[in-house]
C-alpha cells in the first residue's frame, strides 16, 4: 500500500529517526505505554514529552528538520481499557486451562461458565483493538 510518508518509525528512538529532506514527511509512532500516551489531562499527558525528545534532538544532536515529523500516540484512556480487558481475558483463560488440566476441581457447569466468561472477555478485548 502507498502512503505519503518518506518513512514510518514505529517505537523508534530519536537517534534512529532521520533528520533530512526526503520525499515527504516522517510518521513517528510513539510506544503505547503510560509514558507516551496522549491525554487531555496535563497531569497524565506524557505524549508531548515523548514527542519532544524526538522533535528537538536526533540522538545527542539538535534536530534541524522538525517540521517534517508527524506523531501518533495511543489514547491514554483507551490504552488503560485495553490493558484491563486483556487482564480479564487472561485471567479467565487461566481459569479454564486450570479446570481442564485438573488443577482446579470444578464441575462441568463451572467449566462452561468459565469458558463463556473467557469468550466474552476475548470478544470485548478484540473490539477494543
Amino acid at each position: 500500500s502507498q502512503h505519503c510518508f518518506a518513512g514510518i518509525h514505529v517505537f523508534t528512538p530519536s537517534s534512529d529517526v532521520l533528520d533530512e529532506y526526503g520525499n515527504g514527511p516522517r510518521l513517528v509512532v510513539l510506544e503505547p505505554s503510560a509514558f507516551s500516551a496522549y491525554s487531555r489531562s496535563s497531569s497524565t499527558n506524557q505524549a508531548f514529552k515523548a514527542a519532544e525528545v524526538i522533535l528537538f534532538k536526533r540522538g545527542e544532536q539538535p534536530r534541524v528538520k522538525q517540521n517534517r515529523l508527524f506523531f501518533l500516540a495511543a489514547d491514554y484512556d483507551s490504552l488503560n481499557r485495553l490493558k484491563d480487558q486483556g487482564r480479564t481475558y487472561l485471567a479467565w483463560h487461566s481459569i479454564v486451562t486450570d479446570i481442564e488440566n485438573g488443577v482446579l476441581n470444578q464441575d462441568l457447569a463451572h467449566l462452561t461458565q468459565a469458558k463463556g466468561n473467557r469468550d466474552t472477555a476475548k470478544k470485548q478485548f478484540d473490539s477494543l483493538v
Side-chain angles (χ1 to χ4, degrees):
S1 72
Q2 289 194 335
H3 52 80
C4 62
F5 297 106
I8 298 176
H9 306 277
V10 180
F11 317 149
T12 307
S14 69
S15 59
D16 293 337
V17 178
L18 299 178
D19 189 24
E20 63 185 23
Y21 292 113
N23 297 329
R26 298 187 169 278
L27 176 64
V28 179
V29 181
L30 299 175
E31 185 175 344
S33 69
F35 300 110
S36 61
Y38 173 77
S39 174
R40 290 182 189 189
S41 168
S42 60
S43 65
T44 57
N45 191 358
Q46 299 297 315
F48 287 117
K49 293 176 184 174
E52 282 179 342
V53 169
I54 297 171
L55 183 64
F56 295 131
K57 293 206 174 219
R58 180 173 184 226
E60 296 300 317
Q61 301 299 317
R63 186 170 298 278
V64 178
K65 318 292 188 299
Q66 294 175 354
N67 63 344
R68 309 288 289 173
L69 300 178
F70 285 88
F71 293 92
L72 181 65
D75 177 70
Y76 182 81
D77 294 329
S78 296
L79 183 61
N80 283 336
R81 283 192 304 273
L82 180 66
K83 286 180 179 180
D84 287 343
Q85 194 57 49
R87 286 185 199 104
T88 300
Y89 165 73
L90 291 173
W92 281 114
H93 178 72
S94 176
I95 290 168
V96 169
T97 302
D98 287 350
I99 292 172
E100 290 176 338
N101 292 334
V103 175
L104 290 175
N105 188 11
Q106 298 293 318
D107 60 19
L108 184 59
H110 286 122
L111 176 60
T112 302
Q113 181 182 14
K115 284 182 177 180
N117 290 339
R118 177 201 59 194
D119 295 345
T120 299
K122 176 76 166 109
K123 286 178 188 172
Q124 290 174 345
F125 176 82
D126 290 344
S127 72
L128 293 173
V129 175

